[in-house]
């Protein structure tokens, strides 16, 4: 039963809007970054104060923000089902969270464009903005456990994933700032180890929100509540938690570390991807069956794409985790392509499907079918084709670059040995495919915007009017002329 508290519906809608805005900024940073790769455009962009030192963190920071904001929006949709009306404390914490995150978002956007960065992965902004981010997160965690804490471990697995992710974020976000300690920053090896270990756990945190959102959406769309209590769902949770602490080793092969650490990281990461592939195909099949009956579930297209992307990323993960191949490809565009394929093809498309479902579920069947099937199917196809082209090109460039770097005689400069065709076409193809990705995701944002600008009360299924007869029930005709008129169902 959906809670009709307008404040809870407002919270869901607000975080959906925040996620859409973060995605728009991500697309802007990605488009400008791809255009910067064109040699003839780079000088003009530099003259405007735009270069990769500011565009890359703008792109990555707000990409991670989209993942978290989308996950938080899905959690608030869950609150609409299980929580009563907001308490005074809930409202105060929600206001504080929104104000703190708005201040952080505006400050990060302005300072990154001004060239003020930290130079760190995922947290490329000035560390002063970490304070409002963490305080806002603590407000969210407080509300989450106030609602779910009484019987937390007896709730479905997606609640467990979200709850552990809430606490996990506090730990890993704090660890991300270890570089501010003089003894850590003074030792490059220690700094690199801590940074990549913290990056790995941060990815593990938003993976928990993504996985939880995926299973929750499956349950609501298909009506199957048993999957959230299944062994495969709990296996995904357990392995993803373990991988959060071990996946850093993929990025530190070139640092001094034992071979046992490398093998543990390899085995656990592959196991997580394999289990997720199974879950993704289960979800896609279940949602597709529901969609085939109702002809109105656009989420099915996104989840089907996720299942195939997870298979492709499993294949590339196996390849780049082999130590000799990792040494050949590390530091090339092949690793960038793998990261973008995973971030877009899995995390982003999962949340895109969840957000689309949240926005479409309030429409009537006819409107939902028209918008969901006719308008979105080509957008989903365009997103997957353009992202696939971008990822494939980055892998091709990375492999070619790595091989020629390996073949370059020791002591000679590398650049003259780079193939001429690669030097001439790399930036142009990158810009073309990046622009295509921008175009199709912008089309998706336009669809979302048409729904997001509607009244907040429309978020979530509209409760039936108790004054109206239920479907199939006859309208009672007044027996006396002086009896109050009966409203006809409209």
């Amino acid at each position: 039963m959906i809670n009709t508290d307008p404040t809870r519906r407002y919270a869901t809608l607000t975080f959906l809007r925040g996620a859409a805005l973060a995605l728009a900024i991500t697309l802007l940073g990605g488009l400008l970054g791809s255009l910067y790769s064109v040699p003839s455009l780079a000088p003009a962009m530099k003259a405007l104060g735009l270069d990769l030192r500011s565009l890359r963190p703008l792109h990555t920071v707000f990409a991670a923000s989209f993942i978290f904001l989308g996950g938080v929006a899905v959690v608030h949709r869950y609150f609409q089902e299980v929580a009563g009306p907001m308490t005074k404390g809930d409202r105060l914490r929600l206001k504080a969270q929104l104000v703190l995150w708005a201040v952080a978002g505006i400050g990060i956007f302005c300072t990154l464009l001004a060239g003020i960065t930290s130079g760190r992965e995922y947290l490329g902004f000035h560390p002063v903005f970490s304070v409002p981010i963490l305080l806002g997160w603590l407000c969210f965690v407080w509300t989450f456990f106030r609602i779910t804490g009484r019987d937390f471990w007896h709730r479905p697995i997606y609640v467990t994933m979200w709850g552990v992710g809430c606490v996990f974020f506090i730990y890993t976000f704090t660890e991300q700032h270890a570089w501010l300690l003089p003894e850590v920053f003074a030792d490059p090896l220690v700094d690199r180890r801590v940074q990549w270990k913290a990056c790995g756990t941060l990815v593990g945190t938003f993976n928990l929100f993504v996985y939880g959102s995926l299973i929750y959406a499956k349950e609501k769309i298909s009506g199957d509540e048993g999957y959230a209590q299944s062994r495969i769902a709990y296996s995904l949770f357990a392995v993803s938690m373990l991988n959060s602490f071990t996946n850093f080793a993929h990025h530190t092969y070139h640092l001094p570390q034992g071979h046992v650490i490398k093998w543990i990281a390899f085995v656990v990461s592959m196991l997580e991807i394999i289990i997720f592939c199974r879950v993704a195909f289960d979800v896609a099949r279940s949602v597709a069956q529901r969609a085939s009956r109702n002809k109105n579930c656009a989420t099915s297209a996104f989840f089907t794409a996720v299942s195939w992307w997870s298979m492709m990323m499993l294949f590339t993960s196996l390849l780049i985790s082999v130590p000799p191949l990792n040494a050949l490809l590390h530091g090339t565009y092949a690793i960038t392509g793998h990261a973008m394929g995973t971030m877009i093809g899995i995390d982003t498309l999962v949340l895109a499907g969840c957000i689309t479902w949240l926005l479409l579920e309030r429409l009537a069947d006819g409107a939902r079918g028209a918008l969901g099937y006719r308008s979105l199917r080509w957008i989903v196809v365009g997103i997957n084709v353009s992202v696939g082209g971008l990822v494939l090109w980055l892998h091709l460039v990375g492999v070619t670059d790595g091989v020629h770097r390996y073949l370059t005689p020791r002591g000679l400069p590398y650049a003259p040995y780079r193939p001429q065709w690669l030097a001439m076409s790399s930036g142009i193809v990158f810009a073309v495919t990046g622009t295509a990705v921008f175009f199709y995701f912008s089309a998706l944002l336009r669809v979302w915007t048409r729904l997001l600008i509607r009244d907040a009360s429309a978020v979530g299924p509209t409760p039936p009017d108790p004054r109206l007869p239920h479907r199939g029930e006859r309208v009672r005709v007044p027996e006396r002329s002086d009896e109050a008129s009966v409203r006809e169902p409209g």
Side-chain angles (χ1 to χ4, degrees):
M1 182 65 181
I2 297 297
N3 191 294
T4 57
D5 182 358
T7 311
R8 293 210 181 280
R9 294 194 297 269
Y10 166 79
T12 304
L13 183 64
T14 299
F15 286 112
L16 287 174
R17 288 172 172 167
L21 180 60
L23 180 59
I25 297 175
T26 302
L27 293 174
L28 176 63
L31 175 65
L32 294 176
S34 64
L35 295 177
Y36 185 84
S37 64
V38 179
S40 59
L41 297 179
M45 296 181 68
K46 279 186 177 180
L48 296 174
L50 298 175
D51 56 25
L52 290 181
R53 290 175 298 177
S54 59
L55 295 176
R56 187 177 185 277
L58 185 73
H59 179 68
T60 57
V61 167
F62 282 94
S65 300
F66 166 74
I67 300 297
F68 280 114
L69 288 169
V72 170
V74 177
V75 173
H76 276 277
R77 167 61 171 77
Y78 171 74
F79 288 166
Q80 289 183 241
E81 290 186 53
V82 302
M86 273 196 172
T87 65
K88 181 179 180 180
D90 289 345
R91 288 193 294 270
L92 290 175
R93 287 189 293 273
L94 177 62
K95 291 179 181 179
Q97 181 185 359
L98 293 176
V99 170
L100 288 167
W101 283 5
V103 169
I106 295 172
I108 290 171
F109 180 77
C110 295
T111 53
L112 287 180
L113 287 182
I116 302 174
T117 69
S118 66
R120 319 302 291 186
E121 287 289 335
Y122 293 110
L123 301 184
F125 49 84
H126 193 282
V128 69
F129 297 111
S130 298
V131 177
I133 292 175
L134 186 58
L135 290 177
W137 188 265
L138 291 173
C139 293
F140 169 65
V141 173
W142 186 340
T143 300
F144 181 90
F145 284 105
R146 189 202 68 78
I147 295 172
T148 64
R150 179 170 298 179
D151 53 351
F152 176 76
W153 297 109
H154 298 286
R155 294 180 183 269
I157 188 62
Y158 49 78
V159 179
T160 308
M161 289 178 172
W162 293 334
V164 174
C166 283
V167 178
F168 206 17
F169 178 85
I170 299 172
Y171 160 73
T172 186
F173 192 75
T174 304
E175 188 182 36
Q176 285 273 3
H177 296 81
W179 66 277
L180 296 174
L181 300 174
E183 57 270 22
V184 174
F185 190 73
D187 190 331
L189 289 180
V190 173
D191 186 20
R192 186 63 62 86
R193 287 194 186 108
V194 173
Q195 177 180 218
W196 280 112
K197 192 261 183 185
C199 285
T201 50
L202 182 67
V203 172
T205 300
F206 65 60
N207 278 347
L208 288 173
F209 277 87
V210 170
Y211 297 164
S213 300
L214 179 67
I215 296 174
Y216 174 70
K218 176 200 181 303
E219 178 182 291
K220 297 296 110 179
I221 296 173
S222 67
D224 178 16
E225 298 182 357
Y227 199 82
Q229 303 287 355
S230 64
R231 290 183 179 180
I232 188 68
Y234 276 95
S235 298
L236 178 62
F237 168 66
V239 175
S240 62
M241 280 297 301
L242 178 60
N243 191 38
S244 298
F245 291 99
T246 62
N247 62 9
F248 73 94
H250 293 307
H251 302 280
T252 56
Y253 276 178
H254 55 292
L255 299 180
Q257 64 183 12
H259 290 287
V260 174
I261 297 176
K262 299 177 183 179
W263 275 109
I264 291 175
F266 173 77
V267 172
V268 174
S269 292
M270 296 307 107
L271 184 60
E272 180 186 11
I273 298 178
I274 291 171
I275 295 176
F276 179 75
C277 285
R278 164 68 186 279
V279 172
F281 274 100
D282 288 345
V283 172
R285 181 170 58 252
S286 177
V287 173
Q289 291 172 353
R290 179 79 174 185
S292 64
R293 292 195 297 269
N294 296 333
K295 303 297 183 183
N296 60 10
C297 187
T299 304
S300 172
F302 285 106
F303 289 169
T304 300
V306 168
S307 62
W308 290 105
W309 272 103
S310 60
M311 287 293 295
M312 290 186 289
M313 291 301 101
L314 171 62
F315 175 71
T316 58
S317 296
L318 286 168
L319 292 180
I320 66 177
S321 295
V322 177
L325 293 179
N326 186 276
L328 193 69
L329 300 177
H330 198 85
T332 69
Y333 278 122
I335 304 301
T336 304
H338 175 74
M340 294 187 68
T342 304
M343 189 77 170
I344 302 176
I346 297 179
D347 295 323
T348 301
L349 291 188
V350 166
L351 288 175
C354 292
I355 292 173
T356 302
W357 161 62
L358 289 178
L359 294 175
L360 292 179
E361 68 172 347
R362 64 189 174 88
L363 299 179
D365 287 348
R368 194 188 313 167
L371 180 61
Y373 184 71
R374 296 174 185 174
S375 300
L376 282 174
R377 61 173 181 171
W378 292 113
I379 294 177
V380 177
V381 171
I383 288 174
N384 282 278
V385 171
S386 58
V387 173
L390 174 61
V391 171
L392 181 63
W393 176 253
L394 289 174
H395 276 83
L396 177 62
V397 172
V399 170
T400 306
D401 212 9
V403 169
H404 281 78
R405 180 178 61 186
Y406 175 77
L407 296 177
T408 300
R410 185 182 298 273
L412 293 181
Y414 164 66
Y417 289 85
R418 169 175 278 189
Q420 187 67 22
W421 67 268
L422 182 63
M424 294 178 59
S425 61
S426 176
I428 297 176
V429 177
F430 186 32
V432 170
T433 53
T435 302
V437 172
F438 175 86
F439 173 80
Y440 284 108
F441 267 110
S442 296
L444 177 62
L445 280 174
R446 285 196 297 271
V447 175
W448 287 356
T449 302
R450 294 208 305 268
L451 302 174
L452 284 167
I453 61 178
R454 295 171 183 257
D455 188 84
S457 62
V459 176
T462 303
D465 190 335
R467 298 171 297 178
L468 301 181
H470 297 290
R471 182 175 298 179
E473 181 182 347
R474 290 186 177 182
V475 179
R476 186 172 63 89
V477 179
E479 297 178 357
R480 296 185 304 174
S481 60
D482 60 344
E483 188 174 1
S485 62
V486 179
R487 181 190 298 266
E488 294 182 359

